[in-house]
Amino acid sequence: MFAGLTFLQQRTVKQQSGGLAGSQRPDSSCLWYVAMAEEDPAVFTSGTLPSDPRLLATVTNAYLGTRVYRDILHVNGVYNGAVGDCHRADVPSPINVKMSVAAEDSLAETFSLDTRTGTYIHRIQAPGYTATHRIYAHQSLVHLLAFSVTIQRSTLEGEPITVNLQTQFTLESPDLDLHRGADFQGAHYVYGKTLVPEVESGPRPTVHMIWTPVLQAVTLPEEEKEKTWEFLTAVAESEEDVKRSFSEGMSLIVSRSLYVSHVQAWTALWKGCCVEVEGPLSLSQAVYGCLYYLLSAIPPLGSSDFPFSGISPGGLSNGTSGEDYWGHVFWDQDTWMYPNILLFYPEAASAILKYRIRTLGGALCNAQEQGYKGAKFPWESAATGREVCPEEVYGNEEIHINGDVLLAFEQYYYITQDLELFHQAGGWEVVHAVAQYWCSRVVWNPEDQSYHIPGVLPPDEYHCAVDNSVYTNVIAQRSLNFAVDLGSQLHIPIPEEWEEVRKKIKVPFDKSRNYHPEYDGYCPGEQVKQADVVLLGFPVMHPMDPEVRRNDLEMYEPVTDPQGPAMTWSMFAIGWLELKETGRAQQQLSKCFSNITEPFKIWVENPDGSGAVNFLTGMSGFLQAIVYGYTGFRITKKHLKFDPICPDDIKKLKITGVCYLGSKLDFTLTKEDVTIQVTQASSVLQPPGLEAVLAGTGEHLPLNEGQSISFPAAAGWIQKVETI
């Protein structure tokens, strides 16, 4: 550990006769917080910390992340280790600091996560003062992590008050060759390259970090009423960027606006995306928690050029060697997290797609190595797009990832009609390469005159090397359908092979039982690991009669492993909501709560606590059950469909900031009524813009900015008004 200079920025409120000087005043939010914490579903508060440190609150943004009180942090896109040993590079964390005071009687201690402000708060309430420790990853200035300590006296006079700061920061990393640089603006500076590239001759990024040294204790003098000490860490991949980011952060500290700017960024984020449930507190808390952890991972608003490197199942707070899938990116991002992000923030969804575009080169190599044309996106992806899964079977056989990636591109196009992403930004190259792969991967079967896909691992990973996984084949067909349709939109000639394969690919179906077998030879009653066939109904929306949809749910619900991953039950819930079976839907959705841990609503992958923690996949499946299940939202080529249903324990559901064709809409649902309000009209669509069409009556209701429409709860859709 390097011995550091004493450096800090502090805000001071001195005692004045007759009150406080000027506009300076104590942090009155402290008292409000204590009073409201138990009532506010967006604030999670406890008097104790979880015994398992994996379940501590996370503070992340799109670029940096850590768990509170953890000695390492991670940088998005920075990995160390070759292929199967590739993992997020561990960076020592200067914000791993704990606050304590000398033992006193009548101490009240709370630990809170405020999801509205993206802040972890440790508060000690003593008879004569309050000490508050805040930790956050800055929401908009993504190269910055910060924490502050505030001591606020509750009386006008008193003895000096000392708060101890304990840190175990050690300037060591198993993944970086660290070197000490010259101090910068009184802060320490270190930099180092990763040790082992992901692939031979691949990049070895350099991490640069500047941080203010942490004092062992801070003291409020007897003549002062309140003081705040702020500590800053900046991380970037170049010396220029890290120094610029640190300087910007310090300027904001001097102007007393660093934390304010962070809170403002979160306020703007919540303004554009919120799900409010008038119902059980546990449900509201679960929704806020899921949204907080997911929104913490997306690029900041207004940063369309942000070089995003994807979202892994455990987020940026996890992913060290051997932990939570090594920080790799799976279909979890494209199938489970992405639909929630797309519905509210298409710009952030575009950044996810651009990650896939940037890694297309690696995907092309993956396919070539296996003897196929086109691109095979890796089952586990890191920085290059090459396969980095430690177990060969998944990388070789779980090929539905290609269709999952392309479904995300398709949904983006239908929500935005943004052809530029495909025409100029490389999206078409991805679509073309995936279509090529499917056509080279299929095998013609003369017996049934159809194309088969042999030797795959379906989403149900209990069965490997099966032929014609129904999910894999259907998602391949969907890929080809989109490729053909998009090609016509772009006026690009389409190979005849694409048309041939998409029409004749085998979709397993058992006519006698009127259901979809999971693969050729599947025997009803065999246990499956997780949601598989039920995904055909949603999100794939494969055409089928309601009776078939019901039979698929009935067949697979009782044989799905109850210890399987958390996102599974949300998909069964959505299926039952489609069929208006709210009781059965709630029964499935209630299973998710066994994966939510206290006090910070961290999800675990499996209900027994095993698997990944901060499991964004499970959170995102749960959110889909709310924002797609209760509303009935379905993204189609020409419409945003809705078919609302409210269970008995929910009085009202308000979903703020749904984005469609450039407009922002708020949906409010009750058992009786639906209200839709346009809060922001599209700058692209020409008047008359959008309208709602009710399926039962055929009534067309214009949607004008600043106005709302209400109608009895019924199915319908939002569409662009067609002009003659």
Side-chain angles (χ1 to χ4, degrees), residues 77-81 86-89 194 196 198 205 326-329 381-383:
V78 177
Y79 295 89
N80 182 56
C86 170
H87 57 274
R88 290 203 190 281
T194 55
V196 181
E198 183 178 318
W326 295 269
H328 298 159
V329 177
S381 182

Side-chain angles (χ1 to χ4, degrees), residues 617-630:
T617 312
M619 299 184 205
S620 297
F622 182 81
L623 283 176
Q624 286 192 50
I626 307 300
V627 300
Y628 287 90
Y630 290 153

Side-chain angles (χ1 to χ4, degrees), residues 67-144:
R67 292 198 302 266
V68 297
Y69 309 141
R70 193 178 194 191
D71 58 359
I72 59 172
L73 60 87
H74 293 126
V75 182
N76 200 4
V78 177
Y79 295 89
N80 182 56
V83 193
D85 189 44
C86 170
H87 57 274
R88 290 203 190 281
D90 290 354
V91 181
S93 174
I95 71 165
N96 175 23
V97 175
K98 293 184 179 180
M99 177 183 74
S100 66
V101 298
E104 293 187 39
D105 295 332
S106 304
L107 280 182
E109 194 169 17
T110 58
F111 306 92
S112 303
L113 177 67
D114 186 342
T115 67
R116 296 188 194 278
T117 63
T119 310
Y120 172 80
I121 304 167
H122 174 204
R123 180 167 283 112
I124 298 174
Q125 186 82 48
Y129 66 92
T130 300
T132 304
H133 181 199
R134 289 188 174 93
I135 306 173
Y136 58 97
H138 202 288
Q139 171 58 30
S140 57
L141 304 176
V142 295
H143 292 280
L144 301 180

Side-chain angles (χ1 to χ4, degrees), residues 189-220:
Y189 171 40
V190 69
Y191 61 93
K193 276 185 177 292
T194 55
L195 300 176
V196 181
E198 183 178 318
V199 295
E200 188 175 353
S201 301
R204 290 173 54 207
T206 302
V207 174
H208 296 255
M209 183 169 72
I210 299 175
W211 73 100
T212 54
V214 178
L215 306 174
Q216 292 185 341
V218 292
T219 299
L220 178 68

Side-chain angles (χ1 to χ4, degrees), residues 327-344:
H328 298 159
V329 177
F330 292 70
W331 75 311
D332 302 48
Q333 170 191 261
D334 309 87
T335 298
W336 301 96
M337 305 172 203
Y338 178 87
N340 300 304
I341 297 167
L342 174 64
L343 197 63
F344 297 107

Side-chain angles (χ1 to χ4, degrees), residues 10 18 20 86-87 97 107 206-207 252 288 414 502 538 564 569 576 623:
Q10 62 188 41
L20 299 174
C86 170
H87 57 274
V97 175
L107 280 182
T206 302
V207 174
L252 291 170
Y288 270 108
Y414 292 162
R502 73 167 179 148
F538 180 87
W569 315 117
W576 290 119
L623 283 176

Side-chain angles (χ1 to χ4, degrees), residues 515-526:
Y515 90 110
H516 292 98
E518 188 178 284
Y519 51 84
D520 284 354
Y522 175 79
C523 296
E526 285 188 55

